[in-house]
Amino acid sequence: MNSIRPIAWPVRSLALLTVLATVVLLTLGALTTSFRAGMADPVWPTEPWFLVVNGHKYNLEQHRGFLLEHTHRAAGFSVGILASLLAVSAWSAGPNINSRLFGLVSIVALLAVYGGFHREMHVASDGRIARQIALQEGRIDVPQPEVFPLESGIATAVCAALVLLASGAHLATNQPGKWVRALAGILLVCVMLQGLLGGYRVYLDQLLGPELSQVHGTFAQVVFATMCCVPVLAAVPSPERQLPECERSRLGWLSLALVAAVFVQLVWGVIVRHTASPLAQRLHMLTAFAVVGIGVWLAARAFSSPAGRRVLGFNIGHLLLMFVFQLVLGVEAYLGKFAAFGPQGDVSPMARRVTEEAGVIRTLHVLIGTAILASSVVLAVRVWRRAAPNRSISESHSLERIDEYETVAV
Amino acid sequence: MISRFAKQCGGVTIRATELCLAFVLCASAVGCGVSSDDGYDPHLRYANRSDPIVISVPANQPTTAPDPLKLDEFLSALPSLGAKVVLPAELPLAQRDQLKQSLDALFGTPAVPILPEGIAAVGTLSLDAEMLAKGSASYRIRCSSCHGMAGDGKGVSAGFPFPRDFRSGQFKRITGVAQNGKPRIADMKRVIRGGIPGTSMPLFDLLPEDNVDALAAYVIHLSIRGEVEATLIRRLHPDSEEDVADITTTARVIAAKSHRQWLEAQLPDATHSQPVLEGGMLAQSVRQGHVLFKANACLSCHEAYGKTTTYRYDAWGLPNKVQNLTQPEYHWGREPADLARHLRHGIKPANMPAVQMKESDIADLVNFLRALPFPAQLPADVRSEVERPATGRSP
């Protein structure tokens, strides 16, 4: 009896590549925030090839923040391209022609419309530069370009909704690999949204200040954690890598509690990075206790059974290791930011210049935090994932009975 | 099948809704008052000035600009390069404390900024406590990360070119007839609204007018406060020959003088009238402007018309990259009136001298500068000279 691999290896490889590219993107984004370079270039959008064409004009020492921010933008474009390819390739392999067509058409439409939206934003940006020159020259008669191109924006939103609808409807079917396809579609929308959040953080800084950067930073973690699930779901675990039902009931809700606690911890961390909120500082530290507590509890429960050790041992083991690193980095990051010493001892923490060492430590702290969230989510997926018995190829063509790998929705 | 489909859809939808709700609830914590952006913490005080006050810059010009992350080290090294500086740390501790108390009493705190009695307005711009508080809150969100809490230009996000240090009371964009270093309110608002192309100074063209007014008012507050502090530090320094009987009284006098300068600066300069030329007459004017450009030693700083990367110290002791005149992006725009003003008065904080020329020569030079970024607009002989390869240093 042959078992069907619901997701072809090129899609799995592409999913992995997208995750790796996103790690690079997250690293650059974290460095941008750590070194407070988010507004190093107040012009947005810029072309994806901006650095290729203009990079020679900038000096790494003098323009570190500018180059960092633009490299982050370039990495964002790369992740966008990979997410687009992933979505198209995942849906291209769908077993049912109707859902395949619906998915592909909505994705291609979204890509086309989003491209148009981005073009209009470029035109608006050029208009802004022209307005800037006019304002410099004392002329206030030049009209304000559109902050948000309404028509193409609405069209993009409609196409995004179609993609989400296609993904949601696909989840309601019994097609093999449905979760991978659905997630690929959802991720494409999320990556686009994240890109817009980053761009509008720059474009609307004068009105919103750093508020949007907090949403941008939080959403990045969510998108990355979701993205990590795709290669996991695309893989075909052997039967001995499945948790028995009794283990699932012992570990299921605890794994979700860990995800929730890590996410809340992360949100406080985002606020600490971007604002001077004393409440967030305290909650970030207190929630760390909760996260470690739940993590250790989950580890103890998982390791108390052979099945738990076998299936989740590696995942939990490296999660606990990351906790250790994260705590140490957290202490160093806190001291670097809030302890008053040296020439900047008189200056409030948010106003202190960031040394290279402090910037790197904060960035590592953010990245490990991101990895912890992603690991927690993957752990939860592994806990809740259920495998149905393998079916023959002829049986598998009956859509009602295809149930190759079905993950219970969390 | 339909009921199963609906059940599954329902199940997925419910779970998805729960997740989204959880996300929204958590993410809303980001904006529901947990982050404080209404203004500075009321307990915050302006820090004592600790960076050197540059009296004169080194004789040898710099070959590069410092890493923005290492600005403190660069400024500390200026005396070894021949700069004359005054170090606030060399003041006796008792005097530093007294100075801080006087400044706090006269200028308030970042959250509640005030100005000494008698300084109520500059032109039509009110400098009352309400306006300053509004400006301070806006400044904290929009400006302090680059310009610093005290307006020192060394904020946490400050990059190169370095943001303006307001504390010396000197500004570059000045269209007033007094040319005393202070800008007109209209100049400040133009910079706030229009930003500065080629730098990290963004546009604030979406801000309401009252917000822009408040920002301008607060910048004036920081400038006057900074000037008072710097002047007092210089006078209180052990090497100073001046005597300061009472710090608070002296501070009031200095603040009043600075305020007078702000008031004098509001009178606009005479409008430059640039004759509109075309064809052969324009070409001749451009050619003449080129001759004047070389005759007035402009090439000594704008080497190869600015194509060679060169740096010059500015009044704050920081290296500035000399403008590449062959690029159309100028920090202060390319209007004939602006170019003529820069030529007529120089740009003092940038150590660009004024040219001593009659108006017709200035008009020729302006025509040359406006044509310089566009080779097609240059006469052939001028173009060949301008396009000669620069023996440039890399950026």
Short mmCIF file of all heavy atoms in Angstrom, two decimals, chain B residues 174-184 187 261-271 341 344-345 348:
data_model
loop_
_atom_site.label_atom_id
_atom_site.label_comp_id
_atom_site.label_asym_id
_atom_site.label_seq_id
_atom_site.Cartn_x
_atom_site.Cartn_y
_atom_site.Cartn_z
N ILE B 174 18.83 80.68 7.29
CA ILE B 174 18.45 81.99 7.84
C ILE B 174 18.07 82.90 6.70
O ILE B 174 18.86 83.10 5.77
CB ILE B 174 19.63 82.62 8.60
CG1 ILE B 174 20.09 81.67 9.71
CG2 ILE B 174 19.27 83.96 9.18
CD1 ILE B 174 21.37 82.11 10.36
N THR B 175 16.85 83.45 6.75
CA THR B 175 16.46 84.38 5.70
C THR B 175 16.19 85.78 6.24
O THR B 175 15.60 86.61 5.57
CB THR B 175 15.19 83.87 4.96
OG1 THR B 175 14.10 83.83 5.90
CG2 THR B 175 15.40 82.50 4.37
N GLY B 176 16.60 86.01 7.49
CA GLY B 176 16.39 87.32 8.08
C GLY B 176 17.50 88.28 7.71
O GLY B 176 18.61 87.86 7.39
N VAL B 177 17.21 89.54 7.77
CA VAL B 177 18.20 90.54 7.39
C VAL B 177 19.30 90.65 8.45
O VAL B 177 20.43 90.98 8.15
CB VAL B 177 17.53 91.91 7.14
CG1 VAL B 177 17.00 92.51 8.44
CG2 VAL B 177 18.46 92.88 6.45
N ALA B 178 18.97 90.32 9.70
CA ALA B 178 19.94 90.48 10.78
C ALA B 178 21.11 89.52 10.65
O ALA B 178 22.24 89.84 11.03
CB ALA B 178 19.25 90.28 12.13
N GLN B 179 20.87 88.35 10.09
CA GLN B 179 21.93 87.35 9.91
C GLN B 179 22.73 87.15 11.20
O GLN B 179 23.96 87.14 11.21
CB GLN B 179 22.86 87.76 8.77
CG GLN B 179 22.21 87.70 7.40
CD GLN B 179 21.94 86.27 6.93
OE1 GLN B 179 22.78 85.40 7.03
NE2 GLN B 179 20.73 86.05 6.44
N ASN B 180 22.00 87.03 12.31
CA ASN B 180 22.67 86.87 13.60
C ASN B 180 22.69 85.42 14.07
O ASN B 180 22.91 85.14 15.24
CB ASN B 180 21.96 87.74 14.65
CG ASN B 180 20.48 87.42 14.77
OD1 ASN B 180 20.00 86.43 14.21
ND2 ASN B 180 19.73 88.27 15.46
N GLY B 181 22.44 84.52 13.16
CA GLY B 181 22.47 83.10 13.52
C GLY B 181 21.11 82.53 13.84
O GLY B 181 20.93 81.31 13.87
N LYS B 182 20.15 83.42 14.09
CA LYS B 182 18.81 82.92 14.42
C LYS B 182 17.94 82.94 13.17
O LYS B 182 18.01 83.87 12.37
CB LYS B 182 18.14 83.80 15.48
CG LYS B 182 18.95 84.10 16.74
CD LYS B 182 19.26 82.88 17.54
CE LYS B 182 19.76 83.18 18.93
NZ LYS B 182 21.18 83.50 18.96
N PRO B 183 17.10 81.94 13.01
CA PRO B 183 16.23 81.90 11.83
C PRO B 183 14.92 82.66 12.08
O PRO B 183 14.55 82.93 13.22
CB PRO B 183 15.94 80.41 11.67
CG PRO B 183 15.97 79.88 13.06
CD PRO B 183 16.94 80.72 13.83
N ARG B 184 14.23 82.95 11.01
CA ARG B 184 12.86 83.43 11.13
C ARG B 184 11.96 82.24 11.45
O ARG B 184 12.32 81.09 11.16
CB ARG B 184 12.42 84.09 9.83
CG ARG B 184 13.19 85.38 9.52
CD ARG B 184 12.92 85.86 8.12
NE ARG B 184 11.51 86.12 7.90
CZ ARG B 184 10.84 85.78 6.80
NH1 ARG B 184 11.46 85.17 5.81
NH2 ARG B 184 9.58 86.07 6.67
N ASP B 187 11.33 80.22 8.48
CA ASP B 187 12.42 79.30 8.10
C ASP B 187 12.29 78.00 8.86
O ASP B 187 12.45 76.91 8.30
CB ASP B 187 13.78 79.93 8.42
CG ASP B 187 14.01 81.23 7.68
OD1 ASP B 187 13.43 81.39 6.58
OD2 ASP B 187 14.78 82.08 8.18
N GLN B 261 17.84 88.79 20.02
CA GLN B 261 18.37 88.35 18.74
C GLN B 261 17.29 87.59 17.94
O GLN B 261 17.19 87.75 16.72
CB GLN B 261 19.59 87.44 18.93
CG GLN B 261 20.81 88.18 19.41
CD GLN B 261 21.99 87.25 19.67
OE1 GLN B 261 21.81 86.06 19.95
NE2 GLN B 261 23.19 87.79 19.62
N TRP B 262 16.52 86.78 18.64
CA TRP B 262 15.42 86.09 17.96
C TRP B 262 14.42 87.09 17.38
O TRP B 262 13.93 86.92 16.26
CB TRP B 262 14.71 85.14 18.94
CG TRP B 262 15.37 83.80 19.08
CD1 TRP B 262 16.21 83.40 20.07
CD2 TRP B 262 15.24 82.68 18.19
NE1 TRP B 262 16.62 82.11 19.87
CE2 TRP B 262 16.04 81.64 18.71
CE3 TRP B 262 14.54 82.44 17.02
CZ2 TRP B 262 16.16 80.40 18.11
CZ3 TRP B 262 14.64 81.20 16.40
CH2 TRP B 262 15.46 80.20 16.95
N LEU B 263 14.15 88.12 18.14
CA LEU B 263 13.20 89.13 17.65
C LEU B 263 13.76 89.86 16.44
O LEU B 263 13.07 90.09 15.45
CB LEU B 263 12.87 90.12 18.77
CG LEU B 263 12.09 89.55 19.96
CD1 LEU B 263 11.97 90.58 21.08
CD2 LEU B 263 10.71 89.09 19.53
N GLU B 264 15.05 90.24 16.52
CA GLU B 264 15.69 90.97 15.41
C GLU B 264 15.74 90.10 14.15
O GLU B 264 15.69 90.62 13.04
CB GLU B 264 17.12 91.36 15.79
CG GLU B 264 17.19 92.50 16.79
CD GLU B 264 18.57 92.57 17.47
OE1 GLU B 264 19.49 91.81 17.09
OE2 GLU B 264 18.71 93.38 18.41
N ALA B 265 15.87 88.81 14.35
CA ALA B 265 16.02 87.90 13.21
C ALA B 265 14.75 87.75 12.40
O ALA B 265 14.79 87.20 11.30
CB ALA B 265 16.46 86.52 13.70
N GLN B 266 13.62 88.25 12.91
CA GLN B 266 12.35 87.99 12.22
C GLN B 266 12.15 88.89 11.01
O GLN B 266 11.31 88.61 10.16
CB GLN B 266 11.17 88.14 13.20
CG GLN B 266 11.25 87.19 14.39
CD GLN B 266 11.53 85.76 13.97
OE1 GLN B 266 10.79 85.18 13.16
NE2 GLN B 266 12.61 85.17 14.49
N LEU B 267 12.93 89.97 10.92
CA LEU B 267 12.75 90.85 9.77
C LEU B 267 13.36 90.18 8.54
O LEU B 267 14.53 89.82 8.54
CB LEU B 267 13.50 92.17 10.05
CG LEU B 267 13.07 93.38 9.22
CD1 LEU B 267 11.61 93.70 9.46
CD2 LEU B 267 13.95 94.59 9.56
N PRO B 268 12.56 90.02 7.47
CA PRO B 268 13.08 89.27 6.32
C PRO B 268 14.14 90.05 5.55
O PRO B 268 14.12 91.28 5.53
CB PRO B 268 11.84 89.03 5.46
CG PRO B 268 10.88 90.07 5.87
CD PRO B 268 11.17 90.44 7.27
N ASP B 269 15.04 89.32 4.95
CA ASP B 269 16.08 89.88 4.11
C ASP B 269 15.43 90.44 2.84
O ASP B 269 14.30 90.07 2.49
CB ASP B 269 17.10 88.79 3.74
CG ASP B 269 18.39 89.36 3.23
OD1 ASP B 269 18.53 90.60 3.17
OD2 ASP B 269 19.28 88.56 2.86
N ALA B 270 16.17 91.32 2.18
CA ALA B 270 15.67 91.86 0.91
C ALA B 270 15.49 90.72 -0.08
O ALA B 270 16.27 89.78 -0.11
CB ALA B 270 16.66 92.88 0.36
N THR B 271 14.42 90.78 -0.85
CA THR B 271 14.16 89.73 -1.83
C THR B 271 15.15 89.83 -2.98
O THR B 271 15.40 90.93 -3.49
CB THR B 271 12.72 89.90 -2.40
OG1 THR B 271 11.83 90.04 -1.30
CG2 THR B 271 12.34 88.70 -3.23
N ARG B 341 21.24 84.19 -1.33
CA ARG B 341 21.42 84.53 0.09
C ARG B 341 22.65 83.84 0.66
O ARG B 341 23.42 84.40 1.42
CB ARG B 341 20.18 84.14 0.88
CG ARG B 341 20.16 84.63 2.33
CD ARG B 341 18.88 84.28 3.04
NE ARG B 341 17.72 84.73 2.29
CZ ARG B 341 16.89 83.94 1.64
NH1 ARG B 341 17.06 82.63 1.63
NH2 ARG B 341 15.86 84.42 0.98
N ARG B 344 25.63 85.65 -0.60
CA ARG B 344 25.77 87.02 -0.07
C ARG B 344 26.20 86.99 1.39
O ARG B 344 27.00 87.80 1.82
CB ARG B 344 24.45 87.76 -0.21
CG ARG B 344 24.58 89.28 -0.14
CD ARG B 344 23.22 89.97 -0.23
NE ARG B 344 22.51 89.67 -1.46
CZ ARG B 344 21.33 89.05 -1.53
NH1 ARG B 344 20.72 88.63 -0.44
NH2 ARG B 344 20.75 88.83 -2.70
N HIS B 345 25.62 86.08 2.17
CA HIS B 345 25.88 86.06 3.61
C HIS B 345 26.76 84.90 4.04
O HIS B 345 27.20 84.87 5.19
CB HIS B 345 24.55 85.98 4.38
CG HIS B 345 23.62 87.13 4.11
ND1 HIS B 345 23.95 88.43 4.44
CD2 HIS B 345 22.41 87.17 3.53
CE1 HIS B 345 22.95 89.22 4.07
NE2 HIS B 345 22.01 88.49 3.52
N LYS B 348 27.40 80.69 7.97
CA LYS B 348 28.39 80.85 9.05
C LYS B 348 28.64 79.55 9.82
O LYS B 348 29.79 79.20 10.05
CB LYS B 348 27.98 81.98 10.00
CG LYS B 348 28.07 83.36 9.38
CD LYS B 348 28.03 84.46 10.43
CE LYS B 348 27.97 85.85 9.79
NZ LYS B 348 26.66 86.19 9.21
#
